Amino acid sequence: MGSSWDWEVFLRDPGGADPTYWQWMLSCWGWTVSVSLLALVLALVVGTLVGILRTLPDKPWAVRLGTFWVEGFRNIPLLVQIFIWYHVIPALVPAMKSLSSFVLVVLALGFFTSARIAEQVRSGIQTLPRGQRYAGMAMGFTTFQYYRYVLLPMAFRIIIPPLTSEAMNIFKNSSVAFAVSVTELTWFAIQVGEETSRPIEIYMGVTALYVISAFAINRIMAFIEKRTRIPGLVAASGGGH
C-alpha cells in the first residue's frame, strides 16, 4: 500500500500564486492559525466577562444575562452558527455586510468558545472559599477590585487545565471555516484532494499540521500552568493535559 503513495504531490506546481502545493498548504496553515488565535483572544475576553457576570452577588439581572449568553451559544451547533453569522446577521444588520468571511468566522468561533470559557471561569470563581471574597471586601476593595486582585487570579490558576482543552479545541473547530470559503487547512484539503486525486497524502499532511498546532498550544499552556501553580492548591500534572 505504501508504494502507491505519491508524496511528491506536495512538490507539484498548483498553477497559482504559490510555486508548490507544499507552500500553498503552509499559506493555508497561516489562515488557520490566524483564525484560531484571534478567536481565542475574543473568547477569553468575552468568556471572562460573562463568567464574572454569572457570579456577581446581588445582581440577578447580570446572572440572567450571563446565563442567556451561555445557553444561547453552547446549545447551537458551531456549523449552524457559522452560517448564521455568514448569511443571517449581515441581512439583519446591513453594516456587517462589509465584513469579510474571515472576520465573521472569528466572531462565530470566538463567541461559541466564549460560552464554554464563561462556564469554566464561573466554576473557578465559585470553587474559591467565600472567605476570599469577604477578605477583599474587608480591605475596602470595590467589586471590580476584589475580582481583579483576588478572585480572578486564583480562579484562572485553577481552570488552566480545562482552558488548555478549549485552546486546543479552537484550532480543531476552526476547520468549519471552510464552509464559508475561508482558505484554511480543511478548505485546502478538500480543494487539492480533488484537484490532484491524492486525497490520502493531502489529508495526512493537513492532519500533521493540525496536530502540530494543537500540541504547540498544549505545551504553551503547560508552561503557563507550571509558572503560575500555587503549591498545595493545584496538584502537579506532570506537564500534560
Side-chain angles (χ1 to χ4, degrees):
M1 182 177 176
S3 60
S4 65
W5 290 356
D6 179 14
W7 297 106
E8 292 185 357
V9 64
F10 289 103
L11 302 179
R12 295 180 192 169
D13 183 358
D18 297 290
T20 63
Y21 282 115
W22 169 250
Q23 289 163 297
W24 190 8
M25 185 170 68
L26 291 183
S27 174
C28 293
W29 190 22
W31 284 103
T32 292
V33 173
S34 299
V35 166
S36 303
L37 292 182
L38 288 174
L40 179 60
V41 171
L42 178 63
L44 285 171
V45 172
V46 177
T48 300
L49 292 175
V50 175
I52 291 172
L53 284 181
R54 300 199 70 190
T55 61
L56 285 175
D58 305 321
K59 295 288 191 299
W61 61 268
V63 175
R64 285 195 289 269
L65 179 62
T67 301
F68 176 78
W69 181 276
V70 169
E71 298 304 328
F73 279 100
R74 75 175 179 178
N75 286 315
I76 301 174
L78 176 57
L79 186 58
V80 174
Q81 293 191 36
I82 294 285
F83 286 132
I84 289 175
W85 279 93
Y86 188 73
H87 294 291
V88 180
I89 293 181
L92 299 176
V93 184
M96 298 192 69
K97 289 182 179 178
S98 60
L99 298 181
S100 65
S101 299
F102 175 84
V103 174
L104 294 173
V105 166
V106 168
L107 292 175
L109 187 56
F111 289 149
F112 173 81
T113 308
S114 75
R116 301 167 62 88
I117 290 179
E119 278 298 87
Q120 293 162 11
V121 172
R122 178 187 65 81
S123 299
I125 292 173
Q126 292 180 338
T127 299
L128 299 174
R130 290 186 177 181
Q132 296 205 14
R133 185 190 297 267
Y134 296 147
M137 296 169 68
M139 293 179 68
F141 285 170
T142 63
T143 301
F144 172 82
Q145 287 175 325
Y146 69 69
Y147 268 91
R148 165 68 179 83
Y149 297 112
V150 181
L151 300 183
L152 284 179
M154 295 292 289
F156 269 106
R157 286 183 171 97
I158 293 171
I159 66 172
I160 283 180
L163 274 182
T164 299
S165 296
E166 290 304 326
M168 296 171 69
N169 283 339
I170 210 165
F171 272 89
K172 293 175 279 188
N173 288 338
S174 69
S175 62
V176 299
F178 86 91
V180 291
S181 300
V182 174
T183 54
E184 47 72 60
L185 283 175
T186 302
W187 177 91
F188 170 86
I190 295 172
Q191 296 291 323
V192 177
E194 294 177 354
E195 186 175 311
T196 62
S197 298
R198 308 300 306 187
I200 295 177
E201 292 87 341
I202 297 299
Y203 274 102
M204 289 184 71
V206 165
T207 300
L209 294 183
Y210 275 121
V211 171
I212 291 171
S213 303
F215 187 69
I217 285 292
N218 178 285
R219 293 298 84 197
I220 291 171
M221 294 298 286
F223 174 77
I224 293 173
E225 181 182 359
K226 183 178 180 181
R227 298 283 295 183
T228 59
R229 181 180 301 140
I230 301 175
L233 179 62
V234 181
S237 65
H241 300 288

